[in-house]
Each structure stands twice: as structure tokens, then as C-alpha cells.
Amino acid sequence: MEEDNFKKIPFGQLGIIVHKSCEDLGQKIDKYLVQKRKEMLAECPEEYHVEKLQDSYIIESEIVRFSNGEAKGHLKETIRGKDIFIIADIGNYSVSYNMFGQENRMSPDDHFQDIKRLISAIAGKARRIHVIMPLLYESRQDKRNSRESLDCAMALQELENLGVENIFTFDAHEPKVQNAIPQTGFESLHSTYQIIKALKRVEKDLDLDQDKLMVISPDTGAMNRAIYYAGVLGSDVGLFYKRRDYKTIVNGQNPIIQHEYMGAEVEGKDVLIVDDMIASGGSVFDISKELKKKNARNIYVAVSFTFFTNGIEKMNEYYEKGYIQKLFSTNLTYIPQEFKDADWFEEVDMSRLIAHLIDTVNYDDSVSPLLDATDKIKGIL
């Protein structure tokens, strides 16, 4: 019998453990998976073996907290022999727990500890374990300067030692951190296609002509991302260089003295600023103001993660003054309702891509088509 006549079979019965930090996104992912499996059974019964259709692939679980703040992971149904995917948002600061009678917001450290608790609760009974952390834990501490800890590398090694086979994340701050776990799968996916698709849907009058649009990188670290955006959009690219005061440390960083622009003229052009995340928003605010001084037309910002750690008052101000037209950001991490309600915010849904990723890995298919969306982007352009 030829190989083409064999059906593709899942590596194991699919199971998803959704941490409390990721409930909304997890429900959307589950919905798409149920829909996709039904379509596979109806359209490709000769190509794929589909297990008994489920109304949901989510494994019921919980994190039980003791009054002194300690906790344990608990799985409420069997996971024996299943292909398990654990999904958690380590950036969700809206989740809290009670300790000594006081409510404490969960930090990234707390969320990561819960991931390890859930893996421990599996107790080696699953066929495989995959962890999906859309926002990679400690991704901003991916390299060492002088006497500093290597938190991201240590965290990845912990997951490897616990038996995790694959780790999936999005727009990792430094993908080279995977060198810490050479024997474990590590993939950093991108939100470029979904963001450009949303950009075209929302800003219908936006002209993507090379003479009318520029892509801007807010620093040297985001330059590769900006070059990719510019390449698929067929536009010019510019760069802002951060001059820092390396003699001073404020909030764990060397403060920025000035943003200096390098690139073609932006006068009369629409501008797209691209980065992996907005933390406080300081760089984006400074850059947008500088671009407006150079007579840029409309300024758009596209990121995978939005925090605004100092609040959104300044973002509201910059929107009202016309410095920033729209911010496109994904739902890969927690988004407060006040962000969603703002006129300047556009949420980009990533649940379909993650569902496709889970289904692909469960069938042991290649994830390479999910890592490069160039052809899909050219299709919508």
C-alpha cells in the first residue's frame, strides 16, 4: 500500500489545560478546534483519522489556594495517554488570590509557578506535554549584563526538566534564548498576518503605496521586524536610535536621553510603528511626537502585547492631539476593558492561529507553514 493511502492519526487524544489567566482566549481556541475537527471529518474523511468528536477539548482543572498563599494544581479528569497542551498568560495581572485575608494580584512569577503545578499534577501520565505561553515568561531578561540572572533561560530549562516536549510563544523578545534548551522544541510565532489583515479591514483608506507609507522601527532591536513588514508591504523603512544614559538606572533600565531618527523623509506619509510590545509606552509617545514634527500624516502602531504600565491617560491625550491614529494589538495577553473601549484601540484575535497550531502539532504535521505567513500576506494585499 502506498504511503499516501494511510490516514494521518493524532499522536494522542487531544486535551487542553487552560489556566485561569487565559480563560477567554482558551474558550475561543477550543471553539475553533471543535469546529475544525467537524470540518475535517466532513471534508477529508479519507485523509485524517478524527477521534470521537468532542463538544470541548478542555480538561477541567483548578489551582487550589491555601490561606497562607501556597497552592496546588488539581486535574478533575483523566489525562492518561493524552496529548496535552497547557495554555497560560503570564502577563494577566487581573487574576488575584487571597493570602492572610488580603487579595494579591498574580505576578508573572505566580503564573509560571502554576504552570509547573499543572505539569506536576499530570504526573507523567500524558503521552506528551506542550506549553503555550503567548507572552514568554521573563522574555525581557534573555541575556546577562555583568552580575545579572538569566531568568528566561532558567525557566525554559525548568520546563524541559519537567518533561515538556514543545514550548510555543509569540514574538519572543530574543528567539536565541532557545539555545538554553537544545533538546526541546521551541517555536516563536508571529502576529504579522493578523495585524496587517486587521489594518486593511479597519483603515480602508490607507494607501500602501511605497511613496505614501513608511514602516518605522522604534529601536535597533525591532529592526528585523520592521524590515519584514516593509518587505511584504513594499514600503520604505526607518529607524529610531535610542541614546541612553548608561551611568544611571531607573526602574531597572538605563533612561533614554533622546530618540534620533535615521531614514527617508516621512513628510506627508502615513507611518506604521512596529514592535513586539508596549510597556510604559514612553518610546512610542516620544517617537510619534518626533514624527509629527517631521510632518508625518497618520501614525499607526502595531504590537503583539500592550501593557501601558503607567496607565492610558497619555495614550488618550496623544490620540486626542492626533499624534497616534490607531493602536493594533493582539489578545495574546490580558487586555483591560478600558483599552478595548477606547477609540484608538483595535484588538487583533489570534485564537484561530493557536487552534490551527494545536491541531497541526497533535497530528505531527509540520508547523513551518504557520511560521512564515508571507504568501498569505501577499494574498490579502
Side-chain angles (χ1 to χ4, degrees):
M1 184 180 291
E2 295 182 3
E3 186 177 349
D4 290 345
N5 293 331
F6 285 109
K7 285 188 177 183
K8 292 184 179 179
I9 301 174
F11 188 85
Q13 188 179 0
L14 178 60
I16 307 171
I17 298 176
V18 179
H19 185 250
K20 189 176 181 180
S21 61
C22 218
E23 287 179 340
D24 290 343
L25 182 61
Q27 292 291 340
K28 289 182 179 180
I29 294 168
D30 185 50
K31 179 182 175 182
Y32 279 125
L33 277 169
V34 172
Q35 176 185 332
K36 185 173 179 64
R37 293 285 164 107
K38 287 180 179 178
E39 291 173 354
M40 288 168 59
L41 190 61
E43 298 172 9
C44 307
E46 70 287 343
E47 184 177 354
Y48 289 94
H49 170 80
V50 179
E51 59 186 283
K52 182 181 177 182
L53 291 176
Q54 307 288 332
D55 294 329
S56 173
Y57 293 98
I58 294 178
I59 304 293
E60 195 173 352
S61 63
E62 65 177 340
I63 300 294
V64 180
R65 285 277 170 184
F66 301 106
S67 58
N68 69 340
E70 293 180 345
K72 63 180 179 181
H74 177 218
L75 303 179
K76 298 183 178 181
E77 55 187 284
T78 180
I79 43 80
R80 188 177 294 278
K82 292 187 176 182
D83 200 16
I84 296 295
F85 293 79
I86 299 174
I87 307 173
D89 173 17
I90 60 97
N92 189 342
Y93 57 88
S94 71
V95 183
S96 63
Y97 62 92
N98 189 281
M99 184 173 71
F100 291 99
Q102 296 184 1
E103 283 298 312
N104 290 270
R105 291 200 181 198
M106 291 187 67
S107 70
D109 293 347
D110 293 320
H111 289 306
F112 186 70
Q113 192 68 22
D114 280 356
I115 293 174
K116 294 189 289 182
R117 290 184 176 108
L118 292 169
I119 296 172
S120 176
I122 291 172
K125 297 181 178 67
R127 185 162 291 186
R128 281 191 309 191
I129 302 174
H130 318 268
V131 171
I132 300 177
M133 273 189 292
L135 176 60
L136 183 62
Y137 176 66
E138 287 289 358
S139 61
R140 301 179 75 181
Q141 187 54 27
D142 53 65
K143 59 183 179 292
R144 172 181 285 153
N145 292 315
S146 186
R147 300 180 184 90
E148 293 181 344
S149 56
L150 275 170
D151 297 71
C152 190
M154 290 171 59
L156 293 177
Q157 289 177 353
E158 282 187 84
L159 294 179
E160 181 181 53
N161 292 336
L162 286 168
V164 173
E165 190 152 329
N166 290 294
I167 299 168
F168 299 101
T169 189
F170 282 80
D171 279 319
H173 204 62
E174 177 49 81
K176 291 178 183 177
V177 75
Q178 65 185 287
N179 293 337
I181 47 169
Q183 301 302 316
T184 299
F186 180 95
E187 300 292 353
S188 178
L189 290 86
H190 304 283
S191 55
T192 315
Y193 168 70
Q194 287 76 11
I195 287 176
I196 292 178
K197 188 176 179 180
L199 183 66
K200 281 191 63 66
R201 173 177 52 82
V202 175
E203 300 295 328
K204 293 181 173 60
D205 297 330
L206 179 64
D207 194 336
L208 300 179
D209 187 88
Q210 182 177 0
D211 296 328
K212 297 181 180 179
L213 176 70
M214 275 199 69
V215 177
I216 298 292
S217 171
D219 54 37
T220 54
M223 195 59 189
N224 287 339
R225 181 179 293 101
I227 290 172
Y228 179 78
Y229 267 91
V232 295
L233 292 173
S235 62
D236 283 334
V237 63
L239 164 70
F240 272 89
Y241 170 68
K242 295 178 181 178
R243 288 182 55 212
R244 293 182 179 272
D245 179 5
Y246 288 101
K247 298 179 181 178
T248 309
I249 296 178
V250 179
N251 293 329
Q253 291 185 324
N254 301 110
I256 299 169
I257 301 172
Q258 186 178 353
H259 287 91
E260 296 186 1
Y261 177 68
M262 294 182 286
E265 289 292 326
V266 299
E267 184 173 357
K269 295 181 181 180
D270 290 324
V271 172
L272 178 63
I273 302 172
V274 297
D275 207 351
D276 58 341
M277 68 172 66
I278 290 178
S280 65
S283 292
V284 168
F285 297 143
D286 292 344
I287 289 169
S288 62
K289 197 170 184 178
E290 286 296 318
L291 289 170
K292 276 298 183 180
K293 288 180 181 178
K294 297 178 183 294
N295 297 318
R297 188 165 169 260
N298 295 318
I299 297 175
Y300 304 93
V301 181
V303 295
S304 293
F305 309 103
T306 299
F307 303 131
F308 284 122
T309 53
N310 296 330
I312 62 171
E313 290 75 16
K314 196 167 185 177
M315 181 64 204
N316 289 331
E317 175 191 340
Y318 271 53
Y319 171 72
E320 291 167 3
K321 289 182 176 179
Y323 291 154
I324 298 175
Q325 186 79 8
K326 187 76 77 172
L327 166 63
F328 293 84
S329 185
T330 72
N331 61 342
L332 291 171
T333 192
Y334 169 68
I335 303 173
Q337 191 60 44
E338 64 174 340
F339 289 20
K340 297 180 181 181
D341 294 339
D343 293 335
W344 46 261
F345 187 83
E346 186 65 33
E347 181 179 337
V348 180
D349 183 28
M350 300 296 294
S351 56
R352 186 186 291 271
L353 175 59
I354 298 177
H356 194 181
L357 170 69
I358 292 173
D359 187 70
T360 300
V361 174
N362 183 230
Y363 272 94
D364 265 348
D365 282 340
S366 172
V367 299
S368 294
L370 304 180
L371 301 176
D372 184 2
T374 303
D375 291 338
K376 292 177 69 177
I377 294 172
K378 289 180 178 178
I380 63 173
L381 294 176

PDB file of all heavy atoms in Angstrom, residues 305-322:
ATOM      1  N   PHE A 305       1.887  42.791  22.096  1.00  0.00           N
ATOM      2  CA  PHE A 305       1.491  42.886  23.502  1.00  0.00           C
ATOM      3  C   PHE A 305       1.435  44.350  23.934  1.00  0.00           C
ATOM      4  O   PHE A 305       2.358  45.116  23.673  1.00  0.00           O
ATOM      5  CB  PHE A 305       2.483  42.133  24.392  1.00  0.00           C
ATOM      6  CG  PHE A 305       2.764  40.729  23.939  1.00  0.00           C
ATOM      7  CD1 PHE A 305       3.939  40.424  23.276  1.00  0.00           C
ATOM      8  CD2 PHE A 305       1.849  39.714  24.155  1.00  0.00           C
ATOM      9  CE1 PHE A 305       4.206  39.138  22.841  1.00  0.00           C
ATOM     10  CE2 PHE A 305       2.097  38.421  23.722  1.00  0.00           C
ATOM     11  CZ  PHE A 305       3.275  38.132  23.064  1.00  0.00           C
ATOM     12  N   THR A 306       0.351  44.712  24.614  1.00  0.00           N
ATOM     13  CA  THR A 306       0.189  46.080  25.110  1.00  0.00           C
ATOM     14  C   THR A 306      -0.029  46.061  26.611  1.00  0.00           C
ATOM     15  O   THR A 306      -0.943  45.387  27.094  1.00  0.00           O
ATOM     16  CB  THR A 306      -1.011  46.769  24.429  1.00  0.00           C
ATOM     17  OG1 THR A 306      -0.774  46.827  23.024  1.00  0.00           O
ATOM     18  CG2 THR A 306      -1.190  48.176  24.963  1.00  0.00           C
ATOM     19  N   PHE A 307       0.798  46.799  27.351  1.00  0.00           N
ATOM     20  CA  PHE A 307       0.685  46.840  28.813  1.00  0.00           C
ATOM     21  C   PHE A 307       0.253  48.210  29.333  1.00  0.00           C
ATOM     22  O   PHE A 307      -0.624  48.318  30.160  1.00  0.00           O
ATOM     23  CB  PHE A 307       2.022  46.453  29.460  1.00  0.00           C
ATOM     24  CG  PHE A 307       2.531  45.106  29.056  1.00  0.00           C
ATOM     25  CD1 PHE A 307       3.837  44.936  28.631  1.00  0.00           C
ATOM     26  CD2 PHE A 307       1.703  44.006  29.097  1.00  0.00           C
ATOM     27  CE1 PHE A 307       4.310  43.691  28.255  1.00  0.00           C
ATOM     28  CE2 PHE A 307       2.163  42.756  28.727  1.00  0.00           C
ATOM     29  CZ  PHE A 307       3.471  42.600  28.294  1.00  0.00           C
ATOM     30  N   PHE A 308       0.910  49.286  28.855  1.00  0.00           N
ATOM     31  CA  PHE A 308       0.725  50.628  29.398  1.00  0.00           C
ATOM     32  C   PHE A 308       0.785  50.567  30.933  1.00  0.00           C
ATOM     33  O   PHE A 308      -0.186  50.806  31.635  1.00  0.00           O
ATOM     34  CB  PHE A 308      -0.600  51.234  28.936  1.00  0.00           C
ATOM     35  CG  PHE A 308      -0.580  51.707  27.512  1.00  0.00           C
ATOM     36  CD1 PHE A 308      -1.472  51.208  26.586  1.00  0.00           C
ATOM     37  CD2 PHE A 308       0.350  52.652  27.099  1.00  0.00           C
ATOM     38  CE1 PHE A 308      -1.435  51.632  25.261  1.00  0.00           C
ATOM     39  CE2 PHE A 308       0.389  53.090  25.768  1.00  0.00           C
ATOM     40  CZ  PHE A 308      -0.519  52.575  24.853  1.00  0.00           C
ATOM     41  N   THR A 309       1.963  50.234  31.417  1.00  0.00           N
ATOM     42  CA  THR A 309       2.158  50.005  32.849  1.00  0.00           C
ATOM     43  C   THR A 309       1.908  51.253  33.686  1.00  0.00           C
ATOM     44  O   THR A 309       1.676  51.151  34.892  1.00  0.00           O
ATOM     45  CB  THR A 309       3.588  49.495  33.113  1.00  0.00           C
ATOM     46  OG1 THR A 309       4.528  50.398  32.503  1.00  0.00           O
ATOM     47  CG2 THR A 309       3.778  48.107  32.520  1.00  0.00           C
ATOM     48  N   ASN A 310       1.964  52.435  33.061  1.00  0.00           N
ATOM     49  CA  ASN A 310       1.697  53.678  33.791  1.00  0.00           C
ATOM     50  C   ASN A 310       0.293  54.223  33.520  1.00  0.00           C
ATOM     51  O   ASN A 310       0.015  55.381  33.845  1.00  0.00           O
ATOM     52  CB  ASN A 310       2.747  54.740  33.432  1.00  0.00           C
ATOM     53  CG  ASN A 310       4.146  54.343  33.858  1.00  0.00           C
ATOM     54  OD1 ASN A 310       4.319  53.628  34.840  1.00  0.00           O
ATOM     55  ND2 ASN A 310       5.147  54.795  33.118  1.00  0.00           N
ATOM     56  N   GLY A 311      -0.569  53.389  32.926  1.00  0.00           N
ATOM     57  CA  GLY A 311      -1.927  53.845  32.621  1.00  0.00           C
ATOM     58  C   GLY A 311      -2.049  54.353  31.191  1.00  0.00           C
ATOM     59  O   GLY A 311      -1.053  54.498  30.471  1.00  0.00           O
ATOM     60  N   ILE A 312      -3.297  54.657  30.768  1.00  0.00           N
ATOM     61  CA  ILE A 312      -3.530  55.039  29.378  1.00  0.00           C
ATOM     62  C   ILE A 312      -3.874  56.523  29.216  1.00  0.00           C
ATOM     63  O   ILE A 312      -4.290  56.953  28.136  1.00  0.00           O
ATOM     64  CB  ILE A 312      -4.662  54.186  28.761  1.00  0.00           C
ATOM     65  CG1 ILE A 312      -5.984  54.412  29.512  1.00  0.00           C
ATOM     66  CG2 ILE A 312      -4.277  52.722  28.728  1.00  0.00           C
ATOM     67  CD1 ILE A 312      -7.172  53.773  28.820  1.00  0.00           C
ATOM     68  N   GLU A 313      -3.712  57.298  30.281  1.00  0.00           N
ATOM     69  CA  GLU A 313      -4.048  58.720  30.199  1.00  0.00           C
ATOM     70  C   GLU A 313      -3.247  59.417  29.092  1.00  0.00           C
ATOM     71  O   GLU A 313      -3.801  60.213  28.317  1.00  0.00           O
ATOM     72  CB  GLU A 313      -3.800  59.411  31.539  1.00  0.00           C
ATOM     73  CG  GLU A 313      -4.749  59.028  32.660  1.00  0.00           C
ATOM     74  CD  GLU A 313      -4.458  57.644  33.241  1.00  0.00           C
ATOM     75  OE1 GLU A 313      -3.339  57.119  32.979  1.00  0.00           O
ATOM     76  OE2 GLU A 313      -5.332  57.091  33.930  1.00  0.00           O
ATOM     77  N   LYS A 314      -1.956  59.118  28.998  1.00  0.00           N
ATOM     78  CA  LYS A 314      -1.138  59.771  27.986  1.00  0.00           C
ATOM     79  C   LYS A 314      -1.497  59.290  26.593  1.00  0.00           C
ATOM     80  O   LYS A 314      -1.458  60.066  25.620  1.00  0.00           O
ATOM     81  CB  LYS A 314       0.350  59.531  28.266  1.00  0.00           C
ATOM     82  CG  LYS A 314       1.255  60.491  27.499  1.00  0.00           C
ATOM     83  CD  LYS A 314       2.673  60.458  28.029  1.00  0.00           C
ATOM     84  CE  LYS A 314       3.539  61.508  27.327  1.00  0.00           C
ATOM     85  NZ  LYS A 314       4.915  61.555  27.854  1.00  0.00           N
ATOM     86  N   MET A 315      -1.882  58.011  26.472  1.00  0.00           N
ATOM     87  CA  MET A 315      -2.318  57.498  25.177  1.00  0.00           C
ATOM     88  C   MET A 315      -3.592  58.209  24.739  1.00  0.00           C
ATOM     89  O   MET A 315      -3.745  58.573  23.560  1.00  0.00           O
ATOM     90  CB  MET A 315      -2.541  55.985  25.262  1.00  0.00           C
ATOM     91  CG  MET A 315      -2.983  55.360  23.954  1.00  0.00           C
ATOM     92  SD  MET A 315      -1.740  55.474  22.650  1.00  0.00           S
ATOM     93  CE  MET A 315      -2.787  55.344  21.197  1.00  0.00           C
ATOM     94  N   ASN A 316      -4.514  58.399  25.664  1.00  0.00           N
ATOM     95  CA  ASN A 316      -5.734  59.153  25.346  1.00  0.00           C
ATOM     96  C   ASN A 316      -5.390  60.565  24.874  1.00  0.00           C
ATOM     97  O   ASN A 316      -5.972  61.080  23.913  1.00  0.00           O
ATOM     98  CB  ASN A 316      -6.643  59.232  26.573  1.00  0.00           C
ATOM     99  CG  ASN A 316      -7.274  57.896  26.912  1.00  0.00           C
ATOM    100  OD1 ASN A 316      -7.496  57.063  26.032  1.00  0.00           O
ATOM    101  ND2 ASN A 316      -7.572  57.680  28.182  1.00  0.00           N
ATOM    102  N   GLU A 317      -4.435  61.190  25.549  1.00  0.00           N
ATOM    103  CA  GLU A 317      -4.014  62.547  25.197  1.00  0.00           C
ATOM    104  C   GLU A 317      -3.410  62.590  23.788  1.00  0.00           C
ATOM    105  O   GLU A 317      -3.737  63.476  22.983  1.00  0.00           O
ATOM    106  CB  GLU A 317      -2.982  63.035  26.231  1.00  0.00           C
ATOM    107  CG  GLU A 317      -2.384  64.395  25.907  1.00  0.00           C
ATOM    108  CD  GLU A 317      -1.184  64.720  26.793  1.00  0.00           C
ATOM    109  OE1 GLU A 317      -1.053  64.101  27.877  1.00  0.00           O
ATOM    110  OE2 GLU A 317      -0.375  65.577  26.385  1.00  0.00           O
ATOM    111  N   TYR A 318      -2.540  61.621  23.489  1.00  0.00           N
ATOM    112  CA  TYR A 318      -1.879  61.610  22.182  1.00  0.00           C
ATOM    113  C   TYR A 318      -2.861  61.296  21.057  1.00  0.00           C
ATOM    114  O   TYR A 318      -2.686  61.758  19.920  1.00  0.00           O
ATOM    115  CB  TYR A 318      -0.706  60.617  22.189  1.00  0.00           C
ATOM    116  CG  TYR A 318       0.588  61.235  22.647  1.00  0.00           C
ATOM    117  CD1 TYR A 318       0.671  61.923  23.856  1.00  0.00           C
ATOM    118  CD2 TYR A 318       1.729  61.164  21.871  1.00  0.00           C
ATOM    119  CE1 TYR A 318       1.839  62.509  24.283  1.00  0.00           C
ATOM    120  CE2 TYR A 318       2.919  61.747  22.287  1.00  0.00           C
ATOM    121  CZ  TYR A 318       2.961  62.420  23.496  1.00  0.00           C
ATOM    122  OH  TYR A 318       4.138  63.008  23.905  1.00  0.00           O
ATOM    123  N   TYR A 319      -3.887  60.519  21.373  1.00  0.00           N
ATOM    124  CA  TYR A 319      -4.922  60.238  20.368  1.00  0.00           C
ATOM    125  C   TYR A 319      -5.737  61.509  20.094  1.00  0.00           C
ATOM    126  O   TYR A 319      -6.007  61.847  18.935  1.00  0.00           O
ATOM    127  CB  TYR A 319      -5.836  59.115  20.860  1.00  0.00           C
ATOM    128  CG  TYR A 319      -7.053  58.898  19.982  1.00  0.00           C
ATOM    129  CD1 TYR A 319      -6.932  58.318  18.716  1.00  0.00           C
ATOM    130  CD2 TYR A 319      -8.324  59.271  20.418  1.00  0.00           C
ATOM    131  CE1 TYR A 319      -8.042  58.123  17.912  1.00  0.00           C
ATOM    132  CE2 TYR A 319      -9.441  59.079  19.621  1.00  0.00           C
ATOM    133  CZ  TYR A 319      -9.293  58.503  18.370  1.00  0.00           C
ATOM    134  OH  TYR A 319     -10.393  58.320  17.571  1.00  0.00           O
ATOM    135  N   GLU A 320      -6.112  62.204  21.157  1.00  0.00           N
ATOM    136  CA  GLU A 320      -6.910  63.423  21.004  1.00  0.00           C
ATOM    137  C   GLU A 320      -6.134  64.518  20.273  1.00  0.00           C
ATOM    138  O   GLU A 320      -6.711  65.305  19.516  1.00  0.00           O
ATOM    139  CB  GLU A 320      -7.361  63.921  22.380  1.00  0.00           C
ATOM    140  CG  GLU A 320      -8.396  63.016  23.043  1.00  0.00           C
ATOM    141  CD  GLU A 320      -8.611  63.337  24.509  1.00  0.00           C
ATOM    142  OE1 GLU A 320      -7.986  64.303  25.000  1.00  0.00           O
ATOM    143  OE2 GLU A 320      -9.399  62.632  25.157  1.00  0.00           O
ATOM    144  N   LYS A 321      -4.813  64.559  20.481  1.00  0.00           N
ATOM    145  CA  LYS A 321      -3.985  65.561  19.797  1.00  0.00           C
ATOM    146  C   LYS A 321      -3.655  65.161  18.366  1.00  0.00           C
ATOM    147  O   LYS A 321      -3.070  65.955  17.614  1.00  0.00           O
ATOM    148  CB  LYS A 321      -2.686  65.776  20.576  1.00  0.00           C
ATOM    149  CG  LYS A 321      -2.861  66.516  21.896  1.00  0.00           C
ATOM    150  CD  LYS A 321      -1.524  66.738  22.578  1.00  0.00           C
ATOM    151  CE  LYS A 321      -1.684  67.558  23.854  1.00  0.00           C
ATOM    152  NZ  LYS A 321      -0.373  67.756  24.542  1.00  0.00           N
ATOM    153  N   GLY A 322      -4.007  63.924  17.987  1.00  0.00           N
ATOM    154  CA  GLY A 322      -3.758  63.475  16.622  1.00  0.00           C
ATOM    155  C   GLY A 322      -2.371  62.923  16.381  1.00  0.00           C
ATOM    156  O   GLY A 322      -1.974  62.692  15.237  1.00  0.00           O
TER     157      GLY A 322
END
